[in-house]
Amino acid sequence: MAAVHPVVADVTARVTERSRASRTAYLQRISRAASELSLRPARTELGCSNLAHAVAACGGADRAVLSAETGVGVGIVTSYNDMLSAHAPFEHYPQEIKATARELGAVARVAGGVPAMCDGVTQGRAGMELSLFSRDVIAMSTAVALSHDVFDAALMLGVCDKIVPGLVMGALSFGHLPTALVPAGPMASGRSNAEKAETRKAYAAGEAGRDELLASEVASYHSPGTCTFYGTANSNQMLMDVMGLHLPGAAFVHPDDPVRAALTDATTRRVVQIAAGQDRYGIGQVVDEKSVVNGVVALLATGGSTNHTMHLVAMAAAAGIDLRWEDFDDLSTAVPLVARIYPNGTADVNHFHAAGGTPFLVRTLLDAGLLHEDVLTLDGPGLRRYTRRPVVGADGSLEFVEAAEESLDRDVLRPAHDPFEPDGGLRLLRGTLGQAVIKTSALAEEHRVVEAPARVFTDQVGFLQAFSRRELDRDVVVVLREQGPSANGMPELHALTPSLGVLQKRGYAVALVTDGRMSGASGSIPAAIHVTPESVHAGPIAKLRDGDVVRVDAVTGRLDVLVDESEFASRLPASRVTEEGVGTGRELFGVMRSAVGRADEGAHVFGSLAAVPEPVVPHLPQEESR
């Protein structure tokens, strides 16, 4: 086992110390629940009427198993729908899981469904204002699904942006249950992401028509499976591998590959095995301080989605762990960039998988001392297990074999000792405008520092109109405020990307500063995002005016307005321009806009997750329980 890198060790120690009280309280809470479950299945505590309701829809054999005090009950939480190509394959998973469970003398049932919206459909539209909040709705929906308190293990079917973080957060409320995330895999490679991006820029510049744009998009997003660029969805999948919540190498196997069905079968068998074993453990023990730091390291090493500067913070908080942006920033100084996947390169996730994928990634980071090996995973103790890849043997059974020790394509994936860049793909920016994050892995050297006059907008439409009038044909820092969590749910702002790219292509120095999101698909434009405090909380970004010179410096980690300090301090924050969201369901989310926390605290609505006290749950006598 390689010695842990001193920066990784220091950050882990810091996270552990600051989380000591909250993590201890969390572990005590799930330990009590685990102790109760170790004596006999939770469903045996139900009153007779309660249990009758719980098994009413079961067939005779399943009903007999669940009515007895033996036999494992598995709850399936599914995010299947037909709107997300990535989630369409989940349609038939529950029946396959149920069949496998029955072979083992267990019973698997769909405990509940969670919403799953497609950001690709809602980009630039009102529905995007629900996107971030949907993560917390998913967490609560997961809790509702498992609240029947009849399950001994759980399987979470999810892939995409907010869905996986929400499922993990909800599952951690039942951290005593053996739980696995079950992926579905990426679609086959279609039109290259680079070609797609060029067509979008051509359309934004008026050089391509709608028919050409639509043909390009349909050729890019063409079948069931995850979109192939390295955005939040595929960052999720990589994280679930590295954090030990999948079986090894499960993330990027195609939906129609026989290995995919074998992995789903094996995952079902594994959670049943853990639940029925003497050394049972739950997801709350798998997601610990070292696992969370491993997730951050892998995110940085691959140039993953900036959304995870919020999602990882929120998932960690659900396990009683206090993760902060400075932890990302400090780790970034030690973690090299070892992958080039679009938008950080030309390859897609299928090319990454073919080059060695997460098994190679885990191996090279472990060998460099950048990952903690001594962690608990779904597959068992030790992360070294995750240097293996799944294959289907001659007899049709799933096997795990050691992955290649060398990258099979060094243009896509490199060893940690010979990386693409010496440091990670994300940076924390601090300065007179507050703090923000910036994705550096896709930035050319000449674009990492931009100093230019600001042009301030409060919505995307205003920016696009100014672009079409050629008002932005100059060096410019585009400031888009009133896009934070409390303002309008912090929508992703990808509708800006093609136009900003056109300005950059015309030779101008261009940057974006916003309290909104750009996420994993952000590329060549330097974007200081998640600016905190946000404008509606009177953050400094609310004081900016057209013409103020703003400096975005991804090299030194600074975000500053170059205005006389006393003058800037004397300015009053601009009054809010945009109205409270109404229509497309937005009016139902006003309570979440009021309750949501800051971006650097995970932008969730649950307050201090780790400080939730152990509830007293009354158990009525059976005859009174209904």
Side-chain angles (χ1 to χ4, degrees), residues 554-565:
V555 177
T556 63
R558 295 292 302 179
L559 177 62
D560 293 297
V561 56
L562 305 184
V563 173
D564 179 77
E565 185 177 344

Side-chain angles (χ1 to χ4, degrees), residues 263-352:
L263 279 165
T264 303
D265 176 86
T267 302
T268 305
R269 293 176 184 276
R270 181 58 183 156
V271 296
V272 171
Q273 180 186 37
I274 298 170
Q278 294 297 312
D279 298 320
R280 57 176 295 129
Y281 55 92
I283 186 174
Q285 293 159 276
V286 174
V287 180
D288 66 3
E289 297 91 337
K290 291 181 178 180
S291 167
V292 166
V293 169
N294 282 351
V296 176
V297 167
L299 185 77
L300 294 168
T302 55
S305 170
T306 52
N307 272 331
H308 279 292
T309 61
M310 293 182 294
H311 293 331
L312 271 168
V313 171
M315 287 189 284
I321 297 166
D322 184 356
L323 180 68
R324 301 181 183 178
W325 280 1
E326 54 260 38
D327 302 321
F328 287 79
D329 198 45
D330 289 350
L331 288 168
S332 187
T333 65
V335 176
L337 183 71
V338 300
R340 285 285 190 200
I341 323 168
Y342 187 85
N344 312 319
T346 58
D348 66 20
V349 294
N350 293 314
H351 303 132
F352 170 75

Side-chain angles (χ1 to χ4, degrees), residues 25 30 34 111 121 518:
I30 67 171
V121 175
M518 288 293 279

